[in-house]
Amino acid sequence: MKLRAYLTVVFALGALVLGHSLVSVVRAEIPPAWVVFTALAIVTGSFKLDFASVSAMISVSDTFFITSALLFGPAHAAVTIALDSLVLSFRKGDPWRRMAFNVAAPTLSLWVGVKVCFMLAGVGPLAAGKTPVGVLAIPLVALVVVYFVFNSGLTAVAVALDSAQSAFQIWKRHFMWVSVGYLAAASAAFCLILLIQQVSLAAAVMVLPLLAVFHLTLRSSFGRLNDARRHLGDLDRLYLSTVETLAMAIDAKDDVTHSHVRRVQAYALGLADALGVNDEESTKAIKAAALLHDTGKLAVPEHILNKPGKLTASEFEQMKLHVDVGADILSLVQFPFPVVPIVRCHHESWDGSGYPRGVKGEDIPIGARILSVVDCFDALTSDRPYRRRMTDEAALDILRERRGTMYDPRVVDTFIAVYKDIRVADADAPEHREVMRRITESRTEPRPAAEPMPAASSATASSDVLAFVSLARLAGGEASVQDVIALASNLVGHVVPEATGAWYLPDAGRVQLTAVDAFGPEARIVRHMTIGIGERLTGWVAAARQPVINSDAALDLAAMGDSGASLRTCMSVPLLVGDTLVGVLSLYAGRTEAFDENRGRAIQMVAPHIASALHVAARHVVGVPDATAQQERLTGNANRELRLVSGRARS
């Protein structure tokens, strides 16, 4: 709406000036010399220099515009430049709105510049009398300055309104250096007028080869400049692509959606622009920092990085190290803009309670304050392995709660006001998605089942471990799935007697896990519970193929309400045979940190043997053709031999 109103005003003023000029030219006698200069302007306008990186052009025709202006006055100059601009826009096939602006803006600019020139000189057009050209030397500079500033300024404002950027920054970046061409054109026009006054119009033709040389020189120089800009652009794209790929590879270490960094980057840049942080150096710094702020996670163990639920105090201290590690890694890159300070401060809080250094308030770089808000919002509104995404409004409520403590109030308020208007690309490119899938799969490749312990180690191994090894060997016989679960429950209960355990087995479609059996003091709570693969704690362990120790049991049992409140800690271990998920064993306890290192290691050590036993037992059941025999295996007629093994384990 603003752009349309602006274009309408410029077009109206330009049309008013052009109409007045046309009337003045028609009423006066049309000088042949003006017709010649107008024709030269239109012809040489075809030899303009366009620059792909700049919304402007340089043309030899500016020389003839200024010459017509000095010789014949503002009306003739306005008609000349209007005709030239109309021909150029028509040749380019511009739409009518752009064509109107391209005619109106230079016409208005040159007309104002010529008016200022003659007002300062106190004389009329040179062709109307014997005014010495020397009196126009200083006014000519004013003409060029006004013409250039108006013409480039009107275009810069139009571009700024169309792209929602700073008009001054656009003018400074793309138009300021074009002033050299305007000054060169004014000098050539001054020389032409001297020749016309001192010799004749025919003698002035001798200047045309100089103008051709000027054009070719500019074309060669700015052609090399364009090549250099294209090369820098290619390098910049290569750099950004490398940074983005590195960032996504780092995220693949964490179980975060691979488009997370792209969304954070889009939010950060949109918020920065809304806050008025749009200079090139700051924008590039925020753009890179948004991608690389979690580089330090390379130094965090995966069992901490991907632990569902609350971290312990020691785990949180180790997690906090990723900020300084990431900043130190990035400091070796020697970015030409301040990326490292943003990364080092992106976990600092507005009230000084953040880490790693307790920086507060305005001392935190604005890029870090922006990044912390948008990173939090995207994390809350994204699915995680152990929880579903929040709604936008729920996430914004959390930002409001943390406003003034963790986050800069102005940044939070601005983000809430503009986040819906920020364009966020959520999808990865197909090639990126495939690469990230391979990285994730290689990271989560199931560990092969451990080899059975040799007999020579029996003397030193615990009786519990020996019992599980015996179970794995025995499973090659006639044991049923129920037999294996019964014995395994007995033995696991012996290792962690205070725990409640559940055996989750996947359904045929491998979409859902069901607790087919449970043991321990609170077995009734978890028996027959169902969990989708990838959901809650146990579902995440099944999907990620990674064990979790001493996590929050509520991640699994929150849906049970008060009945599950007595169980506070969970250990969950995937049961794998090669790349096949056989099931998940989840243990729940009533006290925090219930599963110490030794017990956790023992359960993980025997998990492959339990998985192997279950796998063999299930395969035997499926492979039995006789229904009666199959039912016997399901009801567990082999329990006698298994109980003997269990008895040895307890002796």
Side-chain angles (χ1 to χ4, degrees):
M1 183 64 69
K2 290 182 179 179
L3 176 62
R4 180 176 298 179
Y6 173 77
L7 294 178
T8 302
V9 170
V10 173
F11 175 70
L13 292 175
L16 185 63
V17 167
L18 181 58
H20 173 74
S21 299
L22 281 171
V23 171
S24 300
V25 170
V26 170
R27 285 179 177 177
E29 182 180 351
I30 299 178
W34 173 73
V35 176
V36 172
F37 285 125
T38 300
L40 287 173
I42 294 174
V43 171
T44 56
S46 302
F47 305 124
K48 68 185 185 306
L49 299 177
D50 279 317
F51 306 104
S53 57
V54 179
S55 302
M57 66 181 184
I58 293 178
S59 174
V60 176
S61 58
D62 283 327
T63 299
F64 301 110
F65 300 152
I66 297 173
T67 302
S68 294
L70 294 178
L71 287 175
F72 308 109
H76 291 74
V79 173
T80 299
I81 197 170
L83 289 172
D84 178 71
S85 300
L86 181 63
V87 170
L88 285 178
S89 287
F90 182 78
R91 286 177 178 173
K92 289 170 63 178
D94 289 334
W96 71 268
R97 188 182 298 275
R98 180 177 295 179
M99 185 181 296
F101 179 83
N102 288 343
V103 172
T107 300
L108 177 63
S109 302
L110 183 60
W111 185 84
V112 173
V114 178
K115 281 287 187 180
V116 170
C117 173
F118 285 117
M119 183 180 66
L120 292 176
V123 298
L126 298 180
K130 294 296 183 179
T131 305
V133 70
V135 300
L136 291 176
I138 294 178
L140 177 60
V141 175
L143 185 157
V144 172
V145 170
V146 172
Y147 172 37
F148 164 67
V149 171
F150 264 67
N151 196 21
S152 59
L154 290 172
T155 305
V157 171
V159 173
L161 290 174
D162 187 45
S163 59
Q165 300 181 55
S166 166
F168 177 74
Q169 291 298 328
I170 290 175
W171 182 86
K172 182 180 178 182
R173 188 181 309 132
H174 296 309
F175 294 98
M176 188 170 66
W177 56 271
V178 182
S179 60
V180 176
Y182 283 76
L183 291 173
S187 299
F190 194 79
C191 293
L192 275 176
I193 292 173
L194 281 175
L195 283 172
I196 292 171
Q197 282 198 339
Q198 300 298 325
V199 187
S200 65
L201 180 61
V205 176
M206 299 303 297
V207 177
L208 295 180
L210 293 178
L211 296 178
V213 171
F214 168 67
H215 171 80
L216 293 174
T217 301
L218 282 179
R219 183 175 189 142
S220 176
S221 300
F222 287 114
R224 287 194 296 271
L225 176 62
N226 269 344
D227 290 340
R229 286 180 178 272
R230 278 194 296 269
H231 179 64
L232 288 175
D234 291 340
L235 288 178
D236 196 44
R237 284 189 294 273
L238 175 62
Y239 146 73
L240 287 175
S241 177
T242 302
V243 167
E244 186 179 65
T245 302
L246 173 61
M248 288 192 296
I250 292 169
D251 270 350
K253 176 181 170 69
D254 191 357
D255 279 295
V256 173
T257 306
H258 300 139
S259 55
H260 166 70
V261 291
R262 287 187 172 186
R263 294 195 304 271
V264 168
Q265 185 187 66
Y267 278 131
L269 292 174
L271 178 55
D273 185 65
L275 289 166
V277 183
N278 48 24
D279 60 284
E280 186 174 7
E281 186 175 272
S282 297
T283 299
K284 287 188 173 182
I286 293 172
K287 193 173 186 179
L291 293 176
L292 295 173
H293 64 281
D294 282 335
T295 300
K297 286 184 177 180
L298 293 169
V300 180
E302 289 185 16
H303 74 275
I304 295 177
L305 199 61
N306 296 322
K307 177 181 178 180
K310 187 177 181 180
L311 298 178
T312 65
S314 60
E315 288 171 340
F316 184 60
E317 288 301 317
Q318 196 162 1
M319 174 67 84
K320 286 160 63 174
L321 295 176
H322 85 276
V323 177
D324 274 335
V325 170
D328 291 342
I329 291 173
L330 296 177
S331 65
L332 302 176
V333 179
Q334 297 181 347
F335 288 95
F337 30 82
V339 175
V340 175
I342 296 176
V343 173
R344 199 178 294 278
C345 291
H346 78 278
H347 277 294
E348 300 289 0
S349 295
W350 182 253
D351 63 358
S353 62
Y355 62 89
R357 288 170 175 75
V359 183
K360 65 179 181 178
E362 298 287 345
D363 292 336
I364 305 172
I366 183 62
R369 284 179 267 152
I370 290 171
L371 185 58
S372 62
V373 169
V374 300
D375 191 31
C376 174
F377 177 79
D378 187 73
L380 294 174
T381 55
S382 301
D383 286 325
R384 288 294 183 264
Y386 46 88
R387 63 158 172 81
R388 302 296 297 172
R389 66 194 301 176
M390 292 185 181
T391 64
D392 287 358
E393 194 55 42
L396 294 177
D397 285 341
I398 291 178
L399 292 182
R400 292 185 185 100
E401 290 174 7
R402 299 175 180 177
R403 178 185 180 277
T405 53
M406 290 184 67
Y407 306 132
D408 181 348
R410 184 170 69 99
V411 173
V412 171
D413 294 343
T414 304
F415 180 73
I416 292 173
V418 305
Y419 83 97
K420 288 184 178 179
D421 299 325
I422 299 174
R423 297 178 182 176
V424 178
D426 189 56
D428 294 323
E431 60 272 17
H432 285 166
R433 193 181 306 117
E434 176 61 21
V435 171
M436 293 304 107
R437 183 188 64 79
R438 285 192 227 160
I439 293 175
T440 303
E441 286 184 355
S442 66
R443 182 175 63 80
T444 59
E445 188 71 27
R447 297 190 185 102
E451 293 293 327
M453 288 186 175
S457 65
S458 299
T460 57
S462 70
S463 60
D464 297 318
V465 174
L466 286 176
F468 280 111
V469 174
S470 298
L471 172 62
R473 292 171 179 167
L474 187 60
E478 296 297 318
S480 69
V481 172
Q482 284 75 10
D483 293 329
V484 175
I485 289 177
L487 177 59
S489 297
N490 193 12
L491 295 175
V492 171
H494 181 67
V495 176
V496 281
E498 76 277 20
T500 295
W503 301 96
Y504 293 93
L505 301 187
D507 61 5
R510 294 193 170 272
V511 174
Q512 188 170 264
L513 298 167
T514 301
V516 297
D517 200 1
F519 60 91
E522 303 290 347
R524 59 180 177 78
I525 297 176
V526 295
R527 186 176 286 115
H528 305 307
M529 189 165 67
T530 59
I531 296 176
I533 292 180
E535 298 178 358
R536 291 190 262 177
L537 178 63
T538 296
W540 180 86
V541 168
R545 314 293 177 88
Q546 294 183 18
V548 170
I549 302 176
N550 288 325
S551 186
D552 188 354
L555 293 172
D556 262 0
L557 307 178
M560 308 297 293
D562 294 339
S563 59
S566 60
L567 300 175
R568 302 177 60 186
T569 305
C570 178
M571 173 179 178
S572 188
V573 180
L575 304 177
L576 304 169
V577 174
D579 60 353
T580 301
L581 176 72
V582 178
V584 177
L585 169 61
S586 291
L587 302 172
Y588 308 96
R591 59 185 178 86
T592 58
E593 304 294 324
F595 304 102
D596 58 28
E597 184 177 351
N598 291 332
R599 289 179 174 181
R601 186 183 297 113
I603 298 298
Q604 291 182 71
M605 184 182 298
V606 298
H609 298 290
I610 299 175
S612 178
L614 286 171
H615 183 66
V616 171
R619 187 175 58 191
H620 284 177
V621 170
V622 173
V624 174
D626 181 72
T628 303
Q630 184 173 356
Q631 182 62 30
E632 289 178 355
R633 283 172 173 78
L634 287 171
T635 55
N637 287 338
N639 282 349
R640 183 179 304 169
E641 186 176 6
L642 291 175
R643 290 195 184 97
L644 290 175
V645 177
S646 176
R648 286 199 301 272
R650 290 186 178 276
S651 62

